[in-house]
Amino acid sequence: MIKPVVAIVGRPNVGKSTFFNKICGKRISIVDDTPGVTRDRIYADANWAGHDFTLIDTGGIDSASDDLFQSDIKKQAMFALQEADVVVLLVDGRVGVTTNDEEVASLLLRHKTPVVLVVNKLDNFEVEKTYEFYSLGLGDPYPLSVHQSKGIGDILDAIVKNFKVRDIEYDENVTKVAVVGRPNVGKSSIVNRLIGSDRVVVSDIEGTTRDAVLVPFKYNKKDYALVDTAGLRRQRSVERVSIEGYSVLRTMSAIDEADVAIIVVDGSKDLTEQDIRIAGYVDEAGKPSVIVVNKWDIKSRSKDEFMAMLKNELAFMSYFKVIFVSALTGASIGQVMEKVEESYANSCKRISTGQLNDLLHDAILNFEPPSHNGARVKIRYITQASTNPPTFVLFVNNPKLINFSYKRYLENRFRERIDLAGTPVRFVIKGKGEE
């Protein structure tokens, strides 16, 4: 069954992200005392008493704020309300009812979505401090100390009581696509083009997307989830303890957990050191990928020239697939997911042991394995150990005699005969008795 959706809303700095992380059991949303840290909606799976649901964390709504992004934050919160089956309004019990709380409550009262009102920061669990929140007109307020995990069970009970059974089938075998790249190359604009709506904050200011935003959608009758990640900056320019530092770590984690990556680069500029570093991390993580050259409407060179630069700078991943697009005009955006599907399918390929050994035999006839001090490598046979990425195991008499160059030669020969474009491959060397 399709999972119910629960959205957490409220003004800034009331503990929404901490509450979100506590329920999900891991750190997904950034937690920081700086108001406005969570700008986009963050999705995660959660479970309580046998009920699976999707939890959404949203940015703090503050109509009096002069934050440049406040209108976008409110827009994202409104999207979350439209998706939600249940809304959790979080307020601060130490501060009491504020004008912002009243404005958010007024907004919720205009919707028919059930609301669970939660009064946080009651570390001594002073239930009497919840009474003034009855004035919001949203029913019984639930006391909470999220830092001490007090009251969470009662709140979750109240949430799941509002779930309605929906008869839509839900397929949990979702292919996750991480959208990565350095800041301001157009990742969020590409996400919005792919899903057909403005569900991710888009701005020309670097660093707009701080959180990894999971956006479920369908393509070609298959379930996908796009992960729009924070733009990766040079590691030395990011303090580990800072908000940006957490964003870099989250982007790395998003790549690790993704099934396939879209690497976005700026087609109006030269490839940078950071572009190469990001591509290198995707390759090292063993993820299939597509390089999306964005801003091609303002290209500064020909396609052949840009391709030559890519081949030179990304020689370590010569298998790359590339597509030239413009998120601004929508040019060629429709082909991005087609390329993603091709790369992912190649990463999932299984090749029979017979075909592999035929290819190996031909490769050895063309170029024999190296020898050292008179000792020659004898390759007994090859088999495929796993997929994602395709991993092949070579059984030889002496693994130390197989060097990097010969493994690269074998990879190139195999790629000539088998379509493995868009995915890295791995060769594992084992000696006698290591089967």
Side-chain angles (χ1 to χ4, degrees):
M1 304 297 291
I2 192 167
K3 295 180 183 178
V5 175
V6 179
I8 305 171
V9 300
R11 61 183 180 82
N13 209 28
V14 294
K16 296 186 298 298
S17 294
T18 306
F19 180 64
F20 176 90
N21 291 337
K22 185 76 72 170
I23 293 176
C24 297
K26 60 181 178 179
R27 186 171 184 145
I28 299 173
S29 275
I30 297 171
V31 179
D32 193 277
D33 289 335
T34 305
V37 169
T38 301
R39 291 171 176 165
D40 296 306
R41 288 163 296 158
I42 316 299
Y43 293 74
D45 292 328
N47 178 280
W48 178 252
H51 295 273
D52 291 319
F53 58 97
T54 298
L55 194 64
I56 309 177
D57 186 20
T58 65
I61 302 173
D62 183 0
S63 58
S65 173
D66 57 1
D67 185 346
L68 178 63
F69 296 100
Q70 184 52 222
S71 62
D72 286 325
I73 292 170
K74 185 174 181 179
K75 184 178 179 182
Q76 293 303 311
M78 291 301 298
F79 273 125
L81 291 180
Q82 292 171 10
E83 294 180 48
D85 298 283
V86 182
V87 174
V88 174
L89 172 59
L90 217 64
V91 295
D92 188 334
R94 294 183 302 189
V95 174
V97 177
T98 69
T99 301
N100 259 334
D101 293 331
E102 291 173 342
E103 290 178 355
V104 176
S106 176
L107 182 68
L108 295 176
L109 286 168
R110 293 198 293 270
H111 285 257
K112 296 181 180 180
T113 308
V115 177
V116 177
L117 176 60
V118 177
V119 184
N120 190 27
K121 302 188 179 181
L122 301 180
D123 291 344
N124 295 320
F125 225 59
E126 311 99 315
V127 177
E128 64 275 7
K129 289 189 176 181
T130 67
Y131 298 159
E132 67 174 297
F133 290 94
Y134 277 101
S135 65
L136 297 177
L138 295 172
D140 295 335
Y142 288 83
L144 171 68
S145 170
V146 69
H147 284 295
Q148 298 180 21
S149 299
K150 292 181 180 178
I152 290 179
D154 290 340
I155 294 166
L156 287 169
D157 284 342
I159 290 171
V160 300
K161 282 180 182 177
N162 287 288
F163 289 166
K164 296 178 181 179
V165 176
R166 293 187 283 180
D167 58 358
I168 304 173
E169 291 298 320
Y170 179 85
D171 183 2
E172 292 186 341
N173 297 318
V174 174
T175 302
K176 293 182 180 179
V177 183
V179 184
V180 298
R182 60 185 174 85
N184 208 32
V185 292
K187 298 182 300 300
S188 295
S189 296
I190 287 173
V191 168
N192 288 335
R193 280 285 185 181
L194 291 175
I195 63 176
S197 67
D198 295 330
R199 293 179 61 174
V200 179
V201 175
V202 177
S203 170
D204 289 334
I205 299 173
E206 290 190 359
T208 302
T209 302
R210 288 175 173 171
D211 292 298
V213 184
L214 190 64
V215 184
F217 77 112
K218 280 187 178 290
Y219 173 78
N220 207 12
K221 298 182 179 180
K222 298 176 185 175
D223 288 313
Y224 288 87
L226 279 171
V227 187
D228 177 41
T229 55
L232 285 170
R233 300 179 185 274
R234 295 177 186 273
Q235 189 65 42
R236 61 177 175 269
S237 70
V238 179
E239 293 292 335
R240 250 180 210 284
V241 296
S242 71
I243 294 170
E244 291 251 0
Y246 289 132
S247 295
V248 170
L249 294 175
R250 181 176 296 101
T251 300
M252 297 301 193
S253 177
I255 292 171
D256 288 336
E257 294 181 9
D259 298 300
V260 60
I262 293 175
I263 304 168
V264 185
V265 300
D266 187 338
S268 67
K269 300 177 181 178
D270 287 342
L271 217 59
T272 69
E273 176 188 341
Q274 195 64 0
D275 291 321
I276 298 166
R277 191 183 303 276
I278 293 165
Y281 190 85
V282 172
D283 175 71
E284 289 173 6
K287 305 299 179 179
S289 61
V290 175
I291 295 175
V292 174
V293 182
N294 191 27
K295 305 185 184 181
W296 198 240
D297 51 306
I298 49 174
K299 59 182 181 291
S300 59
R301 69 199 71 205
S302 71
K303 191 172 290 188
D304 287 342
E305 289 172 331
F306 204 95
M307 281 295 295
M309 179 174 61
L310 286 174
K311 289 177 181 178
N312 180 59
E313 299 290 354
L314 303 181
F316 59 88
M317 55 182 297
S318 57
Y319 58 82
F320 65 78
K321 274 183 176 288
V322 63
I323 184 169
F324 294 80
V325 308
S326 169
L328 180 64
T329 66
S332 298
I333 288 290
Q335 299 174 41
V336 171
M337 283 304 299
E338 179 182 333
K339 297 283 187 183
V340 166
E341 283 198 328
E342 290 172 359
S343 292
Y344 185 58
N346 286 343
S347 183
C348 296
K349 272 186 179 174
R350 279 266 178 200
I351 304 160
S352 71
T353 300
Q355 184 181 0
L356 286 173
N357 281 279
D358 287 343
L359 290 174
L360 177 63
H361 179 70
D362 289 344
I364 293 173
L365 287 177
N366 184 68
F367 179 37
E368 290 189 357
S371 60
H372 182 70
N373 293 333
R376 181 169 296 279
V377 176
K378 292 182 180 179
I379 302 177
R380 298 163 59 198
Y381 66 96
I382 186 172
T383 188
Q384 184 171 356
S386 60
T387 60
N388 308 106
T391 301
F392 308 110
V393 182
L394 280 168
F395 294 94
V396 304
N397 61 330
N398 188 346
K400 294 180 180 179
L401 296 179
I402 296 285
N403 57 30
F404 172 80
S405 296
Y406 198 74
K407 284 198 290 185
R408 177 55 61 91
Y409 161 73
L410 289 177
E411 177 181 337
N412 291 336
R413 292 288 292 187
F414 277 41
R415 288 186 182 278
E416 289 173 5
R417 302 281 293 275
I418 304 170
D419 183 7
L420 294 170
T423 181
V425 299
R426 299 286 183 261
F427 281 88
V428 178
I429 313 299
K430 290 191 176 184
K432 186 177 181 180
E434 292 186 79
E435 287 93 341

